[in-house]
Amino acid sequence: MEAQSTAVNYLPIIFQMLVALGFVALTMTITHLVGPKRKTGDKLVAFESGIKSVGDARQPFSIKYFLVAILFVLFDIEVIFMYPWAVNFRDFGVNGLIEMFIFMGTLLAGFIYIIKKKALDWD
């Protein structure tokens, strides 16, 4: 017999969400009302490890920085896909081995493409 899902089943979840949101709103309101109101020039200045800030924080970064970061995340995610395969290596047999070679070949082709495009060069 399958369990039927009704709106009553969602009441505990809705209640928990309301309690959590109420707690956040109450905590923020109380800290705003009770907290200190002293706003001095020293408190409003950006603090960076004791070093006085120089210039504007909105200076452009090289696109290489973001490209390397995205490529790192991409290849890191690809490696994560190999863990379940490694755990179940014997269960997959020859077909699993062939599929992993295809996966690794595709990954290697992407890496070679990145090297050829010199995406990892910082010059």
Side-chain angles (χ1 to χ4, degrees), residues 13-119:
I13 296 171
I14 293 170
F15 180 70
Q16 184 177 6
M17 289 176 64
L18 289 175
V19 168
L21 289 174
F23 176 74
V24 169
L26 181 71
T27 304
M28 289 181 69
T29 304
I30 289 174
T31 55
H32 180 71
L33 294 175
V34 176
K37 310 271 190 291
R38 297 180 303 259
K39 293 183 181 178
T40 62
D42 289 337
K43 287 187 177 184
L44 297 176
V45 173
F47 180 75
E48 184 72 29
S49 299
I51 300 171
K52 297 241 183 223
S53 57
V54 177
D56 190 12
R58 292 174 185 86
Q59 48 189 319
F61 282 96
S62 172
I63 191 69
K64 295 286 186 179
Y65 173 78
F66 298 105
L67 183 62
V68 168
I70 290 171
L71 290 174
F72 172 76
V73 170
L74 177 70
F75 283 105
D76 195 42
I77 296 293
E78 298 297 333
V79 170
I80 289 172
F81 284 126
M82 292 181 203
Y83 284 114
W85 175 80
V87 169
N88 299 313
F89 174 71
R90 289 200 169 97
D91 297 337
F92 292 146
V94 176
N95 287 337
L97 185 65
I98 292 170
E99 289 174 5
M100 185 48 74
F101 277 133
I102 293 170
F103 177 75
M104 292 296 294
T106 306
L107 190 62
L108 184 64
F111 187 67
I112 290 171
Y113 175 77
I114 288 168
I115 297 273
K116 294 272 186 194
K117 287 290 189 176
K118 297 186 179 181

